Amino acid sequence: MRIGINLVSPPSVPVVTELLNKGAADFCEIVLDNFIHLPPSKVKEALPKVPISLHIVASRFLEKTSQELIDMATMVRKWIEVCEPIYISEHLQRFTTNEGKYFPLTQELDYDIHDDATKQRIIEWQELLTMPLHFENNASMTHKTHSQANFYQHLLPATGSKLLFDITNAYIADYNQVEALSAWQPLYETANHFHVAGLRFDVTKQLAFDTHDGPLDDNNWKLLTDFLPLFNKSENTLVIEWDAYVHKETWQQDLLRLRKLLGSL
Amino acid sequence: MTIINFSREKIFKDVEFRSIKQQIFRYSPLTSQLLGEQITPLVKAFLPFAHEEKLSFNWTLPMHFLRWFAQHKEWPLTQEMIQEWMVASLIRWSLTGFDHVRARVLFVATPRLPFQAIGLKKGQEVSDSDKIVVLKLANSYAAHQDRYATGDEVNAWEGLIWKPLPH
């Protein structure tokens, strides 16, 4: 299994480069939103010989016009051609109302509605990109989103897309009593790409939040100990995500601990 | 799995309000310090205006908050506050790269500071951070309404096509 780190924005470049050069991580997952305006050759210059995957956070591909989709795809395809990514991942979320007003917080889809429009749009976006997409499961917080795993189970084969299984997000949905982690079993057994990240708890409100702003906690390590025997295959990948308040030494310790854990299996 | 006996809806309303507050004030530290505990009542007072104006709550939100704030002459409005809200809008724009995949520069201008446009230039290298730049506007280009201009080239100072700030 290859271990990855994510590159969120330019200020993280020195830390990410150093960790990759030291061999602490095997590949880099680039958050494309913050680099899409650049020629992809710039990344190859900054990270020579480093395998790359591409992660899209807020393309809003479900909400854009076909022409906007074509414009975005033209840019992303350049990155695909130059970087030859291990995978390209996306999010299934809504950012605006039907009237175009932004939600204060991004919304999950209504998982009880299995509509053809969503499927067709995913197929259209993938065809334009010329690659299947790996959709990341969301860290659900409301009971309205209790059937995410079932939704994905129908959607992925119908669209030819794949799951990027975020172990922490599934744990958060379970902790928040939205959906049991076990609901994902049929999907994570066949997944190839995984995420894990720091999280926070509000004990008073009995809620967990996906924050990506710290090291992996004991809950994460318990999950990894439980799941890695199943996920540890040579073709698979696992990214330890860290977006904000990045601390190089602590990130390195987590990467080292993960590699030891994988070595012990 | 057990059922939780409290209202998550109420929690999320609170989280959503804090998110709106953050969108306006997160990148304006001096203004936040100056307004202190007035921020929450101010944002609450702003929301009916925002709904009436059908604001989209996109990157332009801090600029619209500035327009609303400036209508209230009883509150102090300094040049630093104006600049900070302009920059806050620019930063929010920079976080939505897929909404403008080719744009490398965004400028905003306001009648509250008619002879200055403030811009954000995206980096040209992977490790380059975005830069905030100030453009002096000649009399003939003075801003009579809130407006913006984008450019595909980092040094496209000339030939910017100004448009009214969208809602």
Side-chain angles (χ1 to χ4, degrees):
Chain A
M1 180 173 226
R2 282 188 281 184
I3 300 172
I5 48 176
N6 63 327
L7 174 59
V8 172
S9 59
S12 297
V13 168
V15 171
V16 166
T17 309
E18 188 178 330
L19 291 174
L20 286 161
N21 288 343
K22 279 180 177 171
D26 307 315
F27 75 99
C28 181
E29 184 187 87
I30 294 173
V31 176
L32 200 48
D33 303 53
N34 296 327
F35 297 97
I36 187 72
H37 62 285
L38 289 172
S41 56
K42 297 282 185 184
V43 158
K44 295 300 284 182
E45 286 165 20
L47 302 171
K49 295 180 186 167
V50 174
I52 282 168
S53 61
L54 301 175
H55 191 57
I56 299 173
V57 176
S59 71
R60 300 199 296 120
F61 77 96
L62 290 173
E63 302 167 13
K64 292 203 166 154
T65 64
S66 288
Q67 186 54 52
E68 286 171 328
L69 226 54
I70 290 168
D71 286 346
M72 293 195 299
T74 304
M75 298 295 277
V76 179
R77 272 204 311 272
K78 289 180 190 170
W79 282 76
I80 291 172
E81 283 158 21
V82 172
C83 298
E84 298 175 345
I86 304 166
Y87 60 85
I88 178 162
S89 48
E90 250 284 12
H91 290 78
L92 275 176
Q93 290 175 333
R94 284 205 68 89
F95 297 79
T96 60
T97 64
N98 291 335
E99 293 75 40
K101 183 181 165 187
Y102 278 74
F103 295 113
L105 304 167
T106 53
Q107 307 281 303
E108 291 182 57
L109 305 187
D110 184 340
Y111 299 129
D112 292 329
I113 299 174
H114 297 259
D115 66 318
D116 284 338
T118 302
K119 287 178 194 159
Q120 284 310 316
R121 184 38 77 101
I122 290 169
I123 291 167
E124 186 184 356
W125 186 215
Q126 287 183 141
E127 283 178 354
L128 286 168
L129 296 178
T130 66
M131 266 187 92
L133 287 162
H134 289 69
F135 288 106
E136 179 177 337
N137 52 305
N138 294 302
S140 299
M141 298 178 72
T142 71
H143 296 296
K144 283 187 286 189
T145 55
H146 63 95
S147 53
Q148 188 183 184
N150 181 54
F151 178 85
Y152 272 58
Q153 218 168 332
H154 287 91
L155 182 90
L156 300 182
T159 57
S161 54
K162 313 269 185 188
L163 173 69
L164 185 150
F165 187 58
D166 190 310
I167 304 166
T168 311
N169 284 358
Y171 169 77
I172 288 171
D174 191 324
Y175 178 90
N176 291 340
Q177 303 191 15
V178 178
E179 186 170 43
L181 208 157
S182 57
W184 290 95
Q185 189 176 351
L187 288 159
Y188 65 58
E189 282 181 345
T190 55
N192 297 114
H193 303 297
F194 303 88
H195 276 180
V196 66
L199 71 164
R200 285 181 188 269
F201 296 90
D202 185 326
V203 180
T204 321
K205 291 170 181 163
Q206 295 175 271
L207 280 170
F209 300 87
D210 183 31
T211 53
H212 298 195
D213 64 350
L216 303 185
D217 71 350
D218 291 344
N219 298 293
N220 271 313
W221 287 112
K222 168 83 169 61
L223 291 166
L224 289 171
T225 306
D226 291 346
F227 281 112
L228 281 184
L230 183 64
F231 298 162
N232 185 22
K233 296 172 189 163
S234 60
E235 68 272 26
N236 289 1
T237 69
L238 170 61
V239 172
I240 299 184
E241 296 176 287
W242 199 331
D243 299 357
Y245 311 114
V246 173
H247 189 268
K248 184 179 66 186
E249 285 74 22
T250 316
W251 204 357
Q252 188 175 348
Q253 283 164 15
D254 275 354
L255 291 161
L256 193 62
R257 184 172 171 184
L258 175 60
R259 205 176 287 283
K260 275 186 186 161
L261 184 58
L262 285 169
S264 70
L265 297 176
Chain B
M1 211 178 266
T2 54
I3 302 298
I4 301 173
N5 290 318
F6 63 89
S7 166
R8 284 229 168 129
E9 273 198 15
K10 191 174 175 305
I11 293 169
F12 282 103
K13 286 281 174 218
D14 182 45
V15 172
E16 285 182 353
F17 179 75
R18 275 190 278 146
S19 166
I20 293 169
K21 211 162 70 170
Q22 275 237 329
Q23 286 171 39
I24 300 168
F25 285 98
R26 181 174 179 185
Y27 303 108
S28 44
L30 294 175
T31 308
S32 299
Q33 204 175 0
L34 194 70
L35 295 174
E37 290 181 356
Q38 290 175 285
I39 288 175
T40 295
L42 278 171
V43 175
K44 279 184 180 165
F46 166 71
L47 288 179
F49 168 86
H51 293 303
E52 199 174 307
E53 293 252 321
K54 294 190 168 58
L55 298 185
S56 70
F57 286 68
N58 66 3
W59 61 270
T60 62
L61 189 66
M63 288 281 288
H64 288 298
F65 186 84
L66 162 63
R67 177 165 60 91
W68 171 81
F69 189 90
Q71 290 171 4
H72 297 82
K73 303 296 177 201
E74 69 272 26
W75 298 329
L77 181 62
T78 64
Q79 182 168 323
E80 288 74 22
M81 291 166 79
I82 297 168
Q83 288 171 330
E84 279 200 337
W85 277 320
M86 291 169 82
V87 169
S89 270
L90 295 170
I91 293 174
R92 284 216 50 214
W93 173 83
S94 76
L95 301 175
T96 57
F98 268 94
D99 286 351
H100 40 78
V101 286
R102 287 187 175 79
R104 293 183 167 210
V105 188
L106 171 72
F107 281 98
V108 289
T110 171
R112 265 59 69 179
L113 211 57
F115 302 109
Q116 243 183 43
I118 301 185
L120 182 141
K121 281 169 57 172
K122 292 190 174 185
Q124 298 188 71
E125 300 292 334
V126 173
S127 55
D128 282 354
S129 291
D130 299 337
K131 288 183 178 61
I132 298 296
V133 293
V134 177
L135 199 62
K136 280 190 178 176
L137 298 174
N139 278 349
S140 51
Y141 284 98
H144 300 295
Q145 60 177 330
D146 288 334
R147 57 187 192 171
Y148 79 103
T150 57
D152 295 350
E153 299 299 326
V154 173
N155 293 318
W157 315 116
E158 292 175 11
L160 288 173
I161 298 168
W162 291 95
K163 295 176 188 167
L165 197 72
H167 275 204

